[in-house]
Amino acid sequence: MCVAYKPNTAFYEAYGIKGWQSLEKTINYLNKSYPDIFTIADAKRGDIGNTSTMYAKAFFEDLAFDSVTVAPYMGKDSVEPFLAFENKHTIMLALTSNEGAFDFQTKSIDEKELYKVVLETSKKWKNSENLMYVVGATKTEYFKEIRKIVPNSFLLVPGVGAQGGNLQDVCKYGMSDNVGLLINSSRGIIYASKEKDFAKKAALKAMELQVQMQEILKA
Amino acid sequence: MCVAYKPNTAFYEAYGIKGWQSLEKTINYLNKSYPDIFTIADAKRGDIGNTSTMYAKAFFEDLAFDSVTVAPYMGKDSVEPFLAFENKHTIMLALTSNEGAFDFQTKSIDEKELYKVVLETSKKWKNSENLMYVVGATKTEYFKEIRKIVPNSFLLVPGVGAQGGNLQDVCKYGMSDNVGLLINSSRGIIYASKEKDFAKKAALKAMELQVQMQEILKA
C-alpha cells in the first residue's frame, strides 16, 4: 500500500497568486521530503493539442506532479499531448462519482454507454500505457464491466467518505489480479474539523481509512 | 460588433506564479481601461459541485472575468455552480473545433449525437440563461442543427484562422435573428510574428479579421 497526494487545483486557484504559491510550496516540499508519495494534480484539464501541451508542462514540469487528471470530451488530440510525457501518468475521467455522471456518461452510444466508449477508444491512443482512469466509488455496480475493458489499468477512485462510497465494495469489485486501486477521500479528511485541531483530526481520519484498507487487503 | 478577450489559461499556468501574476495584471488592466471588452477565461473547467464553485470564484470573483469555458462530461452538478453567478456567463463545450471532436461528440446516443444531447440537456439546468456554447468554426455543416436546438444562445466559435475555419460559412450558418456569435481567432493572431514586431503584426491580423466580419455583417 502506498500513499498519494491529490490536491484539487481549484482550491488553490480560488486564492489567486497566493494559492498558486501555496500549491508550488506544497508540491516542492513533498517531492523533496517524501519522494515516494505519488502526486496527482486533480485539475481535470483538456483542450486542443498545443494547449494541452501547455497544461502538461505546467503540471508535469513546472510543478513536477507525477500525474494529472483530464477530461475526455475533446477526444484523442486533447489527451495525447499529456501521454507524451515519459514517466508521467494521465488520469482520465471515465465514470465520475457525482450525480451528473448520469447525464451523459451512462447514456448509450450505439447501444454502449459513453463511459465504455471512452475507455475503449482511449486504449487505442498513443502511449495509452500512461493512462489511468477515474471511476467513482459511488458507482461500484459498474466496476465489473469496467474491469472487463481495462483489466490492467490503475483506477483512481474518489467518493469514499463524504460522498458515501463503500470502501469494501470498491475493493471487492475494483481490485484486479494485475493492478491495484488509488482510493481517495478528500472532504472526509480535509473537513474532519473546522477548529484549530484540523490538522490532527485530518491525520486521524486519514489513518482510519488506511487501517480500513489494510484490513481489507489482509482479508 | 464588440471585441472580446479570451486568454487560454494554460499559457499562463505553464509559467507558474509568474504566469498567474501576468494573467491577473492583464485582466485588471482590461477591466479598468476597457470595461466594455467582454472577457472569457478559456479554462475548460468542470468538477463536482463544491470544486466547480471554487473554480467559478477564481475566475468570476478573484480575476473578475465576465465568463469562463467549461466541459460538460461531469453533467449538471458540475456546471450549475458556475451558472449560479449573476451577470456572469458560462460557455460550455458542445462541438469543438478539433479532430478529437469526432471521438465522442458526434457519436450517437440513442440515435442522437452526444453534442445534441449535451445541448438539449443543459437547457433544463438551473440558470441556463447564463449558458453559451462552444461550437468550432471547422464544423459549419453542423451549425444548422445546433441553431435548431439553441436558437437564442450566444455561440463562441473558435477555429477561424490557424485551424482553417471559414468565416463566411460560420456567419452564414451560425448567425441567428435573435443573437450573434463570438468568433475567435487565437493562434492566427498571437503567432502572427515571432519577431520583435509581434504586437504590431498581431494588431494587424486582428484588424484584418474585424474588417472581414464588418463586411459580412454589411452584406
Side-chain angles (χ1 to χ4, degrees):
Chain A
M1 193 156 70
C2 70
V3 174
Y5 165 66
K6 184 187 79 72
N8 201 310
T9 55
F11 290 77
Y12 294 90
E13 287 176 42
Y15 294 96
I17 292 160
K18 276 188 186 167
W20 209 261
Q21 277 170 333
S22 171
L23 180 61
E24 202 170 287
K25 267 171 86 173
T26 310
I27 186 73
N28 287 346
Y29 167 75
L30 274 180
N31 281 340
K32 202 178 147 198
S33 308
Y34 299 95
D36 291 342
I37 289 184
F38 185 73
T39 56
I40 306 164
D42 195 4
K44 302 191 174 71
R45 300 295 197 260
D47 208 312
I48 54 168
N50 66 325
T51 310
S52 275
T53 299
M54 293 307 261
Y55 279 130
K57 278 186 180 169
F59 293 109
F60 290 153
E61 290 181 353
D62 192 45
L63 292 170
F65 272 93
D66 294 318
S67 65
V68 64
T69 57
V70 300
Y73 193 72
M74 293 181 72
K76 175 174 161 159
D77 56 349
S78 71
V79 178
E80 280 190 345
F82 289 95
L83 301 178
F85 284 71
E86 268 180 57
N87 298 318
K88 298 289 182 180
H89 299 274
T90 303
I91 307 176
M92 192 165 73
L93 301 180
L95 186 62
T96 57
S97 57
N98 64 324
E99 187 58 32
F102 298 115
D103 281 340
F104 311 119
Q105 297 166 26
T106 54
K107 292 278 157 66
S108 286
I109 281 194
D110 303 330
E111 288 171 31
K112 197 174 280 178
E113 289 118 309
L114 174 60
Y115 75 91
K116 287 187 188 171
V117 178
V118 166
L119 287 170
E120 282 173 4
T121 306
S122 69
K123 284 173 73 177
K124 296 173 210 147
W125 295 345
K126 202 178 167 189
N127 301 312
S128 64
E129 67 278 9
N130 292 336
L131 262 182
M132 303 179 178
Y133 302 94
V134 173
V135 180
T138 53
K139 308 272 192 307
T140 45
E141 65 273 31
Y142 295 83
F143 271 71
K144 217 172 150 184
E145 289 293 300
I146 289 169
R147 274 298 179 211
K148 277 188 202 162
I149 306 171
V150 287
N152 302 317
S153 297
F154 250 98
L155 302 182
L156 171 64
V157 185
V160 164
Q163 294 182 63
N166 183 299
L167 184 64
Q168 205 98 32
D169 285 352
V170 166
C171 293
K172 188 172 165 188
Y173 300 109
M175 282 203 297
S176 119
D177 293 338
N178 312 306
V179 76
L181 293 170
L182 268 164
I183 294 171
N184 159 244
S185 168
S186 297
R187 282 176 284 166
I189 291 172
I190 57 175
Y191 295 148
S193 164
K194 291 194 173 181
E195 308 304 317
K196 277 191 178 164
D197 63 349
F198 73 94
K200 217 176 189 172
K201 286 273 170 69
L204 215 72
K205 276 280 170 198
M207 267 189 282
E208 246 177 63
L209 189 63
Q210 201 197 352
V211 168
Q212 283 171 22
M213 288 200 245
Q214 206 105 50
E215 274 168 14
I216 293 172
L217 283 175
K218 259 193 245 161
Chain B
M1 191 158 67
C2 70
V3 173
Y5 165 66
K6 184 186 79 73
N8 200 311
T9 55
F11 290 79
Y12 295 90
E13 287 176 42
Y15 293 97
I17 292 159
K18 275 190 187 165
W20 209 261
Q21 277 171 334
S22 170
L23 179 61
E24 202 170 286
K25 268 171 85 174
T26 310
I27 186 74
N28 287 346
Y29 167 75
L30 274 180
N31 280 339
K32 203 179 147 198
S33 307
Y34 299 94
D36 291 342
I37 289 186
F38 184 73
T39 55
I40 305 164
D42 194 4
K44 302 194 173 68
R45 299 297 196 260
D47 208 312
I48 56 168
N50 66 325
T51 309
S52 275
T53 299
M54 294 306 262
Y55 279 130
K57 278 186 181 170
F59 292 110
F60 290 153
E61 292 182 351
D62 192 47
L63 292 171
F65 272 92
D66 295 318
S67 66
V68 64
T69 56
V70 301
Y73 193 72
M74 292 182 73
K76 175 174 161 160
D77 56 348
S78 71
V79 178
E80 279 189 347
F82 289 95
L83 301 177
F85 285 70
E86 268 179 56
N87 299 318
K88 299 289 181 179
H89 299 274
T90 304
I91 307 175
M92 192 164 74
L93 301 180
L95 187 62
T96 56
S97 57
N98 64 322
E99 187 59 31
F102 298 116
D103 281 338
F104 310 121
Q105 298 166 27
T106 54
K107 291 279 155 67
S108 286
I109 282 193
D110 304 332
E111 290 173 29
K112 198 175 278 177
E113 288 118 309
L114 174 59
Y115 75 91
K116 287 187 186 171
V117 178
V118 166
L119 288 168
E120 282 173 3
T121 306
S122 70
K123 285 173 74 178
K124 297 172 207 148
W125 295 344
K126 203 178 165 188
N127 301 312
S128 63
E129 67 278 11
N130 292 337
L131 263 182
M132 303 178 178
Y133 302 94
V134 173
V135 179
T138 51
K139 309 270 191 307
T140 44
E141 65 274 30
Y142 295 83
F143 271 72
K144 216 172 152 186
E145 289 293 300
I146 288 169
R147 274 298 180 211
K148 277 189 199 161
I149 306 170
V150 287
N152 301 316
S153 297
F154 250 99
L155 302 182
L156 170 64
V157 185
V160 164
Q163 294 182 62
N166 183 298
L167 183 65
Q168 205 97 29
D169 284 352
V170 166
C171 293
K172 187 171 167 191
Y173 298 109
M175 280 203 299
S176 119
D177 292 339
N178 311 305
V179 75
L181 293 170
L182 267 163
I183 294 171
N184 159 241
S185 168
S186 298
R187 281 176 284 166
I189 291 172
I190 57 176
Y191 295 148
S193 163
K194 291 193 173 182
E195 308 301 319
K196 277 191 179 165
D197 63 349
F198 73 94
K200 217 175 189 172
K201 285 275 168 70
L204 215 72
K205 276 279 170 199
M207 268 190 283
E208 245 177 62
L209 188 62
Q210 201 196 356
V211 169
Q212 283 170 21
M213 288 198 245
Q214 205 105 49
E215 274 168 13
I216 293 171
L217 282 174
K218 259 193 247 162

